[in-house]
DNA sequence: CACCCTCGAGTTCA
DNA sequence: CTCGAGGGTG
């Protein structure tokens, strides 16, 4: 990774050094462009660049599109796009990384100003800076930022971006005006773009910024008509927001916020996410707010820009050689970090699907520590182009799920090796095969006996969506199916679950594994440590009473009691617990309501099954196929023999139509914490009232009941204009129907 | 045929 | 909670 000297740097020191290097590099470039005189030698110049790259690697938060390391190539680089000299230099902004640093900046600004300062706070879009030149109201040139002085001419491509006007609205435009803004892809558009790229076998973009940059740099030459169409489609999907004006003599406005109003009147796209705050504390609140609500914005943001609102103060405060003094960028901690890919290993899920995942050097990203991330399947591993041993870029998609973006190719040293998908199941050594020809996913066909699959199914049975058995989670499932040799596993498959006895539980021993590495833990003398989760030593009182042997632990007692209770759980839950393909909570509920008993489902024909709302030919086939397997039938028989009730009491029999309720025909989504309801209780209430409890918001959704903690679903509802109600209204909705709210 | 939806899996936190 | 895959529906 890095040398030892730089590892002791703090972020602030690194930031200062990076700023200095940037200044020198830009000076060197300026000198090169302006005249043929170089102020630094080529060697020195290269050294600056390399050092800056190293700092950015150590501190990813220092990276920005403004960085000289991001602008194309060195000094003499020729590109496919003609160079354009901006009428006025495009400055970059200085960065701060904490509220403290921001405060220091604001104190300085207020000290240097002789009157009250208002701050305009806006989002810093993670996109591509563009300069639009309008002459007498007509778009003449669009250029990338480049090094700030000279950019690339991308006018032809920009003309395909729908949202950018070719001609300004109204009259009285200045003869020459340069408008600065950010071109970017909205998160949703970006997702669709990448999906499409993947489908067409084209390159996947690591992030919206790369996609925007790549799209704007496309050239027309040597393209087929189909490729041209695709190029134009991509360009038209780009978004832009303008945030400033370059060359302009005597503007008719007095503040930055008025400038935005004017730009808007001209028909240029301006952001709605900005606020003018009268104190620096107010600005800090704005920073805080979006730090916590980054995901609620339709585009990616990497920070906040704070500008002094009054334009006259801009003049008075001036600028350094690199950045204005009247604005600052607050950079959020990066969502992207670099780490080492130590290995790629595969796991086997309860369905037998084999999934490769990345094992990484532990790293902190977006507030939590991550060491693993899924790689989905071997095609994804290949598409991402990562090799074991690579330094890789990692981020949290949607702030939660760790995602490997790709390798840092420049940091390879030749010792990296390619991942090879195993041909045999890592847990039972059965030869892996796709479920059907042409499938990407490989599966372990040994469903009955593969320990990973049995363990997974047993755990699934205990899960909340299935029988919700307390004390039957990951640990208990592993203990029951794979205790330490030589203890015989009490469960060979899930068929024996309801026959478990305390005598079978007591002798179970499991190997203690390190929570972080998953490796077996051993005592200092090398003896592997084991634990007996289902027994405890007798208390002294028990010893006195003559009970000298080991006693069942409380989790053993809970487990057995909960298993007893599960025998009479609703039919739908039992169906989910059977692990039938494509039958999850929703399909199971529909089947249970329609047929009323497992026997009725078993004896139904394919067509009869497909009668059920939400069940089609494929789920019907999956059900019929499932009942044809001997060991599946064995599960049902043994559970029934143990007393499991596979019949809904009082059900009138197959084909019973659902009765209407106050919510009949309406679709409701519950999200966040609804006072007086549990997550499941809310769903139950919707169904009980005859409504449909959907899990995602779409335009078919009639109501979204949102409580505190509601996330993206609420945002989606707002976007789609779906009626949003609170817990109180929700209660009335399910009690009295839609007219009551 | 184009949405819209559910399933299934992975992941980490409180 | 989110994504991709693939099923279901209008």
């Amino acid at each position: 990774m890095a040398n030892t000297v730089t590892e002791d740097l703090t972020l602030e020191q690194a930031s200062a050094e990076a700023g200095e290097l940037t200044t020198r590099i830009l000076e060197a470039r300026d000198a090169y462009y302006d005249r043929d005189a170089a102020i630094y030698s080529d060697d020195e110049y290269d050294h600056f660049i390399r050092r800056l790259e190293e700092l950015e690697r150590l501190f990813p938060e220092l990276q920005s599109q403004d960085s000289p390391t991001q602008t194309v190539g060195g000094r003499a680089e020729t590109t496919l796009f003609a160079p354009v000299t901006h009428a006025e230099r495009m400055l970059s902004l200085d960065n701060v990384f904490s509220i403290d640093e921001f405060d220091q900046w604001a104190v300085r600004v207020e000290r240097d100003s002789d009157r009250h300062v208002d701050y305009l706070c806006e989002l810093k879009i993670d996109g591509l800076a563009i300069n639009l030149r309008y002459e007498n109201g007509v778009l003449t040139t669009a250029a990338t930022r480049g090094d700030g002085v000279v950019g690339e001419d991308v006018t032809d491509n920009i003309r395909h971006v729908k949202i950018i006007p070719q001609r300004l609205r109204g009259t009285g435009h200045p003869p020459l005006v340069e408008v600065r803004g950010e071109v970017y892809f909205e998160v949703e558009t970006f997702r669709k773009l990448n999906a499409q790229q993947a489908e067409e076998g084209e390159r996947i973009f690591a992030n919206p910024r790369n996609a925007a940059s790549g799209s704007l740099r496309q050239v027309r030459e040597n393209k087929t008509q189909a490729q041209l169409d695709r190029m134009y489609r991509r360009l038209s999907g780009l978004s832009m927001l303008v945030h400033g004006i370059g060359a302009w003599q005597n503007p008719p406005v007095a503040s930055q916020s008025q400038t935005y109003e004017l730009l808007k009147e001209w028909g240029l796209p301006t952001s709605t996410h900005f606020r003018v705050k009268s104190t620096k504390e107010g600005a800090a609140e704005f920073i805080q707010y979006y730090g916590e609500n980054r995901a609620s914005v339709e585009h990616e943001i990497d920070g906040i820009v704070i500008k002094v609102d009054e334009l006259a103060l801009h003049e008075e405060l001036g600028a350094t050689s690199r950045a204005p003094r009247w604005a600052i960028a607050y950079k959020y901690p990066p969502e992207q970090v670099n780490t080492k890919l130590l290995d790629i290993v595969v796991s086997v899920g309860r369905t037998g699907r084999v999934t490769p995942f990345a094992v990484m050097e532990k790293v902190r990203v977006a507030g939590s520590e991550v060491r693993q991330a899924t790689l989905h399947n071997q095609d994804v591993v290949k598409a991402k182009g990562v090799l074991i041993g690579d330094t890789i870029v990692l981020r949290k998609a949607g702030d939660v799920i760790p995602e490997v973006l790709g390798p840092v190719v420049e940091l390879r040293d030749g010792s990296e090796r390619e991942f090879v998908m195993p041909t045999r199941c890592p847990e039972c050594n059965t030869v892996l095969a796709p479920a059907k020809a042409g499938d990407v996913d490989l599966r372990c066909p040994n469903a009955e006996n593969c320990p990973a699959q049995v363990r997974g199914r047993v755990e699934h049975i205990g899960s909340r969506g299935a029988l919700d058995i307390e004390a039957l989670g990951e640990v208990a499932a592993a203990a029951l199916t794979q205790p330490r040799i030589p203890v015989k596993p009490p469960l060979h498959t899930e068929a024996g679950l309801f026959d478990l006895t305390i005598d079978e539980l007591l002798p179970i021993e499991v190997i203690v594994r390190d929570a972080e590495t998953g490796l077996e833990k051993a005592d200092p003398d090398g003896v592997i440590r084991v634990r007996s989760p289902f027994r405890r030593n007798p208390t002294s009182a028990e010893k006195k009473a003559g009970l000298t042997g080991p006693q069942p632990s409380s989790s053993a007692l809970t487990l057995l009691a909960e298993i007893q209770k599960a025998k009479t759980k609703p039919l739908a839950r039992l169906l989910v617990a059977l692990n039938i393909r494509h039958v999850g909570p929703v399909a199971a509920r529909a089947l249970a309501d329609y047929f009323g008993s497992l026997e009725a489902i078993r004896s139904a024909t394919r067509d009869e099954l497909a009668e059920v709302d939400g069940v089609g030919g494929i789920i019907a086939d999956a059900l019929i196929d499932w009942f044809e397997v001997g060991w599946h039938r064995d599960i049902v028989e043994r559970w029934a023999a143990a007393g499991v009730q596979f019949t809904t009491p009082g059900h009138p029999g197959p084909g019973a139509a659902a009765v209407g309720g106050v919510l009949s025909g309406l679709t409701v989504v519950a999200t966040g914490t609804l006072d007086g309801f549990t997550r499941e209780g809310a769903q139950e209430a919707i169904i009980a009232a005859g409504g449909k409890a959907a899990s995602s918001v779409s335009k078919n959704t009639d109501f979204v009941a949102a409580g505190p903690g509601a996330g993206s679903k609420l945002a989606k509802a707002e976007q789609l204009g779906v009626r949003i109600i609170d817990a109180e209204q929700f209660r009335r909705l399910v009690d009295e129907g839609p007219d009551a709210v």
Side-chain angles (χ1 to χ4, degrees):
Chain A
M1 248 227 2
N3 64 55
T4 45
V5 183
T6 50
E7 276 180 350
D8 296 335
L9 278 178
T10 66
L11 174 61
E12 273 177 51
Q13 288 166 337
S15 170
E17 191 185 341
E20 200 170 305
L21 284 166
T22 303
T23 310
R24 290 193 188 182
I25 291 166
L26 292 179
E27 275 170 14
R29 285 193 189 171
D30 280 1
Y32 182 86
Y33 280 119
D34 290 348
R35 43 207 136 79
D36 230 5
I39 43 176
Y40 298 106
S41 72
D42 282 355
D43 273 359
E44 283 172 313
Y45 180 84
D46 289 344
H47 174 76
F48 293 154
I49 294 272
R50 273 203 309 276
R51 174 65 181 160
L52 185 56
E53 278 172 351
E54 189 180 7
L55 288 172
E56 289 179 351
R57 223 152 36 221
L58 283 167
F59 298 97
E61 46 272 76
L62 295 175
Q63 285 170 10
S64 77
Q65 55 157 319
D66 296 339
S67 165
T69 61
Q70 300 296 307
T71 48
V72 194
R75 287 184 270 190
E77 185 80 21
T78 52
T79 77
L80 294 162
F81 300 92
V84 178
T85 304
H86 306 307
E88 188 172 294
R89 177 163 185 175
M90 286 177 85
L91 296 171
S92 54
L93 295 179
D94 280 331
N95 295 317
V96 293
F97 300 95
S98 66
I99 295 289
D100 255 4
E101 286 180 77
F102 164 70
D103 204 62
Q104 287 166 23
W105 170 83
V107 165
R108 218 162 35 235
V109 163
E110 289 175 22
R111 188 195 60 205
D112 294 345
S113 307
D114 56 1
R115 51 192 184 275
H116 177 78
V117 178
D118 280 333
Y119 297 99
L120 180 130
C121 314
E122 63 190 19
L123 307 185
K124 188 170 186 303
I125 302 169
D126 199 10
L128 191 72
I130 291 286
N131 187 29
L132 304 174
R133 186 186 305 193
Y134 287 90
E135 290 175 37
N136 297 314
V138 177
L139 178 66
T140 53
T141 313
T144 63
R145 179 174 185 285
D147 60 13
V149 179
V150 179
E152 292 172 305
D153 186 335
V154 290
T155 316
D156 290 342
N157 283 347
I158 281 288
R159 289 196 195 279
H160 287 93
V161 180
K162 261 185 299 187
I163 201 163
I164 299 176
Q166 303 295 312
R167 185 178 285 277
L168 298 179
R169 264 209 310 258
T171 52
H173 312 112
L176 172 71
V177 63
E178 283 190 350
V179 182
R180 272 82 193 265
E182 206 80 3
V183 169
Y184 62 95
F185 277 111
E186 290 191 356
V187 176
E188 183 60 21
T189 315
F190 169 71
R191 206 182 55 72
K192 285 184 186 154
L193 170 67
N194 254 358
Q196 200 169 3
Q197 292 281 110
E199 205 172 293
E200 291 164 358
E202 299 281 321
R203 67 177 280 222
I204 307 281
F205 295 105
N207 56 52
R209 189 177 72 221
N210 287 358
S213 170
S215 299
L216 268 190
R217 287 165 188 279
Q218 297 174 101
V219 289
R220 214 160 305 182
E221 281 74 35
N222 304 322
K223 280 204 163 68
T224 63
Q225 189 57 47
Q227 286 171 323
L228 278 177
D229 288 347
R230 200 152 59 210
M231 166 174 160
Y232 294 143
R233 197 172 58 226
R234 257 166 70 182
L235 285 168
S236 72
L238 278 167
S239 299
M240 181 176 197
L241 287 173
V242 301
H243 53 59
I245 287 186
W248 194 7
Q249 305 305 313
N250 306 316
V253 288
S255 69
Q256 186 73 21
S257 41
Q258 287 170 13
T259 305
Y260 288 175
E261 276 169 40
L262 185 65
L263 291 171
K264 199 172 160 188
E265 280 169 28
W266 287 355
L268 288 160
T270 52
S271 178
T272 52
H273 301 287
F274 78 87
R275 294 283 178 280
V276 177
K277 301 279 185 177
S278 57
T279 61
K280 59 181 168 47
E281 288 74 23
E285 276 168 28
F286 186 91
I287 292 171
Q288 180 88 21
Y289 176 82
Y290 278 102
E292 287 160 13
N293 295 281
R294 262 160 110 167
S296 74
V297 184
E298 56 281 3
H299 53 73
E300 289 212 341
I301 59 180
D302 58 352
I304 297 293
V305 177
I306 312 282
K307 294 171 178 166
V308 171
D309 197 35
E310 190 186 327
L311 294 182
L313 276 176
H314 292 192
E315 296 289 319
E316 290 168 33
L317 289 163
T320 66
S321 66
R322 204 163 64 89
R325 288 200 183 83
W326 46 266
I328 196 88
Y330 181 98
K331 286 204 125 190
Y332 289 129
E335 291 180 323
Q336 287 186 16
V337 294
N338 289 356
T339 184
K340 199 98 175 172
L341 179 58
L342 302 174
D343 202 359
I344 296 178
V345 286
V346 298
S347 67
V348 183
R350 75 180 159 98
T351 63
R353 206 172 109 181
V354 176
T355 314
F357 64 93
V359 179
M360 298 162 293
E361 221 160 67
K362 186 159 76 179
V363 68
R364 203 170 175 80
V365 51
S368 59
E369 298 209 312
V370 175
R371 86 172 37 245
Q372 291 186 358
T374 180
L375 289 165
H376 305 288
N377 59 48
Q378 68 268 48
D379 280 13
V380 173
V381 177
K382 204 165 268 169
K384 300 211 184 255
V386 289
L387 302 179
I388 296 164
D390 265 339
T391 298
I392 54 169
V393 185
L394 180 79
R395 74 156 173 190
K396 287 262 202 95
D399 254 9
V400 185
I401 314 290
E403 181 189 6
V404 173
L405 291 172
V408 183
V409 179
E410 308 86 76
L411 290 184
R412 283 190 181 151
D413 62 11
S415 69
E416 297 78 13
R417 59 201 165 83
E418 206 167 322
F419 164 71
V420 183
M421 193 71 177
T423 54
R424 288 170 176 274
C425 174
E427 299 231 15
C428 71
N429 212 30
T430 306
V431 174
L432 302 173
K436 58 179 197 300
D439 263 12
V440 190
D441 292 338
L442 289 181
R443 303 193 108 90
C444 167
N446 182 21
E448 183 181 3
N449 296 311
C450 174
Q453 295 185 60
V454 178
R455 188 190 342 122
R457 289 200 302 269
V458 170
E459 188 186 338
H460 176 243
I461 291 168
S463 72
R464 255 194 324 190
L467 294 181
D468 197 10
I469 298 172
E470 204 186 316
L472 181 53
E474 195 182 338
V475 178
L480 293 172
T481 59
Q482 295 171 282
R484 188 176 82 98
I485 318 283
V487 180
K488 189 172 149 290
L491 290 187
H492 169 235
T493 74
E494 60 268 46
L497 182 67
F498 290 92
D499 299 326
L500 282 178
T501 63
I502 196 74
D503 294 336
E504 287 175 308
L505 296 186
L506 285 179
I508 288 179
E509 290 182 344
V510 293
I511 295 170
V512 178
R513 287 172 189 277
D514 186 276
E516 287 193 344
T517 60
L519 295 174
E520 296 177 355
K521 268 196 181 171
D523 284 339
D525 51 7
V527 180
I528 288 169
R529 285 168 57 182
V530 295
R531 218 168 63 85
S532 305
F534 296 122
R535 67 168 188 250
R536 59 171 174 81
N537 292 327
T539 63
S540 50
E542 284 166 337
K543 276 187 190 155
K544 267 185 207 156
L547 295 165
T548 49
Q551 298 299 306
S553 68
S554 68
S555 56
L557 297 172
T558 314
L559 179 61
L560 289 179
E562 285 285 320
I563 288 176
Q564 289 311 305
K565 275 203 253 168
K567 289 179 179 173
T568 51
K569 297 247 166 146
L571 176 59
R573 286 179 172 279
L574 288 159
L575 270 173
V576 175
L578 290 176
N579 280 293
I580 303 170
R581 282 273 242 149
H582 305 131
V583 179
V586 176
R589 175 98 196 196
L591 286 160
D593 285 351
Y594 188 93
F595 287 101
S597 73
L598 190 68
E599 180 51 29
I601 294 171
R602 194 194 58 76
S603 57
T605 65
R606 184 176 188 273
D607 287 349
E608 284 164 351
L609 290 168
E611 277 295 297
V612 178
D613 191 28
V615 177
I618 294 179
I619 293 184
D621 284 342
L623 284 158
I624 289 169
D625 290 349
W626 192 87
F627 280 108
E628 274 173 7
V629 177
W631 65 272
H632 288 165
R633 286 207 295 262
D634 195 40
I635 297 171
V636 177
E637 278 163 28
R638 287 189 59 186
W639 285 14
V644 173
Q645 293 299 310
F646 284 113
T647 305
T648 305
H651 191 281
V659 281
V662 289
L663 287 184
S664 168
L666 294 177
T667 301
V668 184
V669 174
T671 181
T673 316
L674 291 168
D675 223 13
F677 293 90
T678 62
R679 188 174 291 273
E680 293 205 326
Q683 305 236 323
E684 279 303 317
I686 296 165
I687 296 167
K692 204 170 154 199
S695 56
S696 59
V697 179
S698 71
K699 63 173 192 234
N700 294 339
T701 310
D702 296 290
F703 291 95
V704 171
S712 61
K713 286 177 198 170
L714 178 58
K716 182 112 191 239
E718 279 170 356
Q719 193 195 329
L720 291 171
V722 173
R723 179 87 189 274
I724 298 162
I725 55 176
D726 62 20
E728 177 55 39
Q729 290 169 303
F730 177 67
R731 174 167 294 288
R732 262 182 284 142
L733 179 72
V734 295
D735 283 348
E736 304 163 42
D739 294 336
V741 295

